[in-house]
């Protein structure tokens, strides 16, 4: 559990039992943590082209070039925190997960990589659309307009968690990794296929994916060679 998260945060579990395969949590303290973490990574996130969500008062301070204090972050989050909003969203996500998890997990298993027995979903209104934290945690922005729904974000990030060990072994660069996750998601759910920004060698990545899928480990091994080429290419002057 990340530093600063209240251990008494609200939680909803699949089937209301300790052996559930999805736990959903949310709290004011967690939102403060997400805002703090987002501000620390703000330059990189902007450089990568991510859409970033912050409390309105923090957005104003950042626009003025004034680094927000811890007290200002806490006050801004508290002013926007509505418990009933999180409760309603968590219940809706749990209903969707219960209905669709069987199909998703069955498809995920075809990748031939280990799956987690339980996933932790932390809901927020801040940061980017979603992020993942090994071994089994997903943060999802329930107000991000660029994601179709929280369940879509959850599935996307779980795919990340599933392939991350192989990705790290191959030293695959960021946007190549994102393209692979998008391609896997699109193969699982063709009606929701959507690609983020093109990495280097985007066409070749797609060809290798089509050639090796569902052997995603071999696909990543081949794609990793492209990432190696990217690192070897001299920067444009």
């Amino acid at each position: 559990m990340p530093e600063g998260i209240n251990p008494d945060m609200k939680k909803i579990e699949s089937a209301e039992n300790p052996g559930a395969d999805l736990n959903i949590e949310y709290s004011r303290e967690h939102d403060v943590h997400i805002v703090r973490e987002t501000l620390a990574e703000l330059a990189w996130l902007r450089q990568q082209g991510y859409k970033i969500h912050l409390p309105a008062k923090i957005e104003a301070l950042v626009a003025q070039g004034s680094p927000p204090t811890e007290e200002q972050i806490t006050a801004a989050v508290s002013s926007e925190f509505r418990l009933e909003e999180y409760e309603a969203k968590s219940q809706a996500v749990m209903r969707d997960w219960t209905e669709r998890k069987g199909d998703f997990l069955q498809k995920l298993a075809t990748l031939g990589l280990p799956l987690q027995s339980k996933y932790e979903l932390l809901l927020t209104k801040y940061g980017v659309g979603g992020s993942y934290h090994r071994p089994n945690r997903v943060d999802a922005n329930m107000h991000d307009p660029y994601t179709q729904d929280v369940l879509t974000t959850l599935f996307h990030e779980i795919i990340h968690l599933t392939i991350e060990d192989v990705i790290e072994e191959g030293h695959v660069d960021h946007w190549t990794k994102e393209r692979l996750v998008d391609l896997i998601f699109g193969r699982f759910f063709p009606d929701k296929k959507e690609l983020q920004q093109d990495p280097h060698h985007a066409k070749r990545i797609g060809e290798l994916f089509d050639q090796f899928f569902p052997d995603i480990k071999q696909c990543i091994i081949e794609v990793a060679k492209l990432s190696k080429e990217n690192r070897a290419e001299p920067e444009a002057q």
Side-chain angles (χ1 to χ4, degrees):
M1 182 173 290
E3 180 184 358
I5 295 182
N6 187 340
D8 297 322
M9 64 162 56
K10 295 291 185 178
K11 176 185 287 189
I12 179 171
E13 295 185 342
S14 303
E16 301 293 335
N17 71 76
D21 53 17
L22 179 68
N23 294 335
I24 303 177
E25 300 182 357
Y26 45 88
S27 74
R28 182 183 290 105
E29 290 77 11
H30 174 245
D31 279 356
V32 169
H33 173 82
I34 289 292
V35 172
R36 188 192 306 125
E37 194 174 63
T38 301
L39 290 171
E41 300 176 355
L42 195 58
W44 183 86
L45 292 170
R46 284 177 168 171
Q47 183 182 35
Q48 298 301 319
Y50 281 105
K51 175 67 176 177
I52 301 161
H53 304 269
L54 293 167
K57 293 177 181 178
I58 301 303
E59 288 272 18
L61 288 170
V62 170
Q64 296 166 9
S66 177
T69 66
E70 188 70 20
E71 291 74 19
Q72 288 171 324
I73 293 172
T74 301
V77 168
S78 296
S79 70
E80 296 184 359
F81 188 83
R82 302 290 182 271
L83 182 60
E84 62 277 10
E85 185 179 10
Y86 287 80
E87 290 174 340
K89 178 60 71 172
S90 66
Q91 290 168 8
V93 172
M94 187 60 76
R95 286 194 299 269
D96 290 344
W97 168 263
T98 301
E99 179 181 338
R100 297 179 57 192
K101 67 179 180 181
D103 175 62
F104 171 64
L105 295 175
Q106 185 177 29
K107 290 172 177 174
L108 193 63
T110 65
L111 300 182
L113 298 173
L115 307 183
Q116 300 296 317
S117 60
K118 180 186 291 186
Y119 294 96
E120 305 285 343
L121 172 62
L122 278 68
L123 290 177
T124 184
K125 295 192 290 186
Y126 307 115
V128 295
S131 60
Y132 62 95
H133 310 267
R134 289 186 292 178
N136 67 340
R137 192 187 107 204
V138 170
D139 294 354
N141 188 325
M142 61 187 191
H143 282 175
D144 183 55
Y146 293 94
T147 57
Q148 299 178 38
D149 52 48
V150 170
L151 196 68
T152 295
T153 300
L154 177 61
F155 286 174
H156 177 97
E157 303 302 339
I158 287 177
I159 293 171
H160 269 297
L161 288 169
T162 304
I163 69 173
E164 184 64 15
D165 284 346
V166 189
I167 289 289
E168 279 200 349
E169 288 173 9
H171 303 286
V172 175
D173 66 82
H174 178 75
W175 285 111
T176 297
K177 173 180 65 176
E178 289 294 339
R179 176 53 56 94
L180 285 171
V181 172
D182 288 345
L183 290 170
I184 294 168
F185 189 94
R187 188 63 64 96
F188 289 171
F189 307 105
D191 59 322
K192 291 192 173 184
K193 183 175 182 179
E194 186 173 342
L195 301 176
Q196 301 177 73
Q197 64 175 271
D198 284 345
H200 290 297
H201 306 295
K203 183 174 183 293
R204 183 60 180 147
I205 292 168
E207 291 171 348
L208 289 169
F209 179 83
D210 290 338
Q211 179 180 348
F212 291 105
F213 186 86
D215 186 351
I216 201 63
K217 188 170 184 177
Q218 188 60 42
C219 178
I220 292 171
I221 289 171
E222 297 300 323
V223 167
K225 297 174 184 177
L226 300 179
S227 283
K228 186 176 181 180
E229 290 176 18
N230 294 344
R231 292 192 296 272
E233 289 175 358
E235 294 186 9
Q237 299 298 314

